[in-house]
Amino acid sequence: SNHRLRHVSMSGDVTTFAGLLDVTGDQDGIGTSASFDQPSGLAISPDGTALYVADLQNHLIRRVETSNASVTSIAGSSTAGDFADGVADSVARFDKPSSLVISPEGMLFIADMGNYRVRAVNLTATVLVVTTFAGSGNASLVDGTGTAASFQRPFALALAGEMLYVTDASNSLLGCSTCTGAIRSINTATGAVTT
């Protein structure tokens, strides 16, 4: 809620890496000239040169160079969240992306919480394109493959080998009195979702 990325050294020194204290926005820039609105999830590229940030309330995916803290919006739009697959920086839309992981091969997986989907971007491609990896967009708990599966509110991600694990939070805040949270797994090779 300070809308900043912080760096903690091995000796415990804390410094601001990017973002302005208590100032929200979607400004690209270097270090404290850039702005965020509730950055929620982080993932580091396999080569260590970039951080990818789920900028929750801006509905954006941001890239931050680890060498100089240069912040660039690479996917989504900072308008109120909605849904669209497509070219990352012009067509794709998110609704509260909350968590990210990157596979060793450079596949970025995104928990698109407000759209009830897990999205994917191949970071090694010449043109970045956002696709729906799993989830129908219906707020429910249904196992299946790819878009035949449904999530209640995918919130956090963890990757172990070819298995992507998803904390699927309850939708009780949306009026679903019978919804409960669950831990889901997605086989990244097949797209099969299981509870």
Side-chain angles (χ1 to χ4, degrees):
S1 294
N2 281 324
H3 314 295
R4 296 185 293 177
L5 304 184
R6 313 292 293 282
H7 177 270
V8 184
S9 73
M10 295 304 290
S11 61
D13 294 324
V14 179
T15 56
T16 296
F17 188 62
L20 291 165
L21 174 63
D22 293 333
V23 175
T24 62
D26 61 358
Q27 183 67 42
D28 288 344
I30 296 176
T32 57
S33 68
S35 57
F36 298 89
D37 192 349
Q38 295 188 19
S40 177
L42 291 174
I44 194 160
S45 63
D47 64 4
T49 62
L51 287 173
Y52 290 85
V53 181
D55 197 357
L56 184 81
Q57 293 295 351
N58 277 327
H59 316 289
L60 291 170
I61 305 303
R62 318 285 293 276
R63 177 186 165 107
V64 186
E65 305 304 321
T66 56
S67 61
N68 65 359
S70 177
V71 178
T72 307
S73 300
I74 64 159
S77 168
S78 58
T79 57
D82 55 22
F83 168 78
D85 282 338
V87 177
D89 62 356
S90 61
V91 176
R93 297 290 180 268
F94 299 94
D95 187 356
K96 297 180 180 63
S98 57
S99 180
L100 310 168
V101 295
I102 302 175
S103 74
E105 299 77 29
M107 186 63 74
L108 174 68
F109 295 101
I110 303 155
D112 192 2
M113 184 172 60
N115 281 317
Y116 318 110
R117 293 172 167 97
V118 175
R119 316 281 289 283
V121 180
N122 183 349
L123 296 175
T124 66
T126 304
V127 176
L128 299 182
V129 176
V130 177
T131 60
T132 296
F133 187 67
S136 65
N138 296 319
S140 59
L141 199 156
V142 177
D143 288 342
T145 299
T147 57
S150 294
F151 296 90
Q152 294 186 135
R153 192 171 276 281
F155 181 73
L157 303 175
L159 188 63
E162 67 177 15
M163 297 306 291
L164 179 63
Y165 294 93
V166 183
T167 59
D168 196 9
S170 168
N171 262 320
S172 59
L173 295 177
L174 301 177
C176 179
S177 60
T178 60
C179 295
T180 59
I183 305 298
R184 317 287 294 281
S185 67
I186 308 174
N187 185 312
T188 59
T190 66
V193 179
T194 56
T195 299

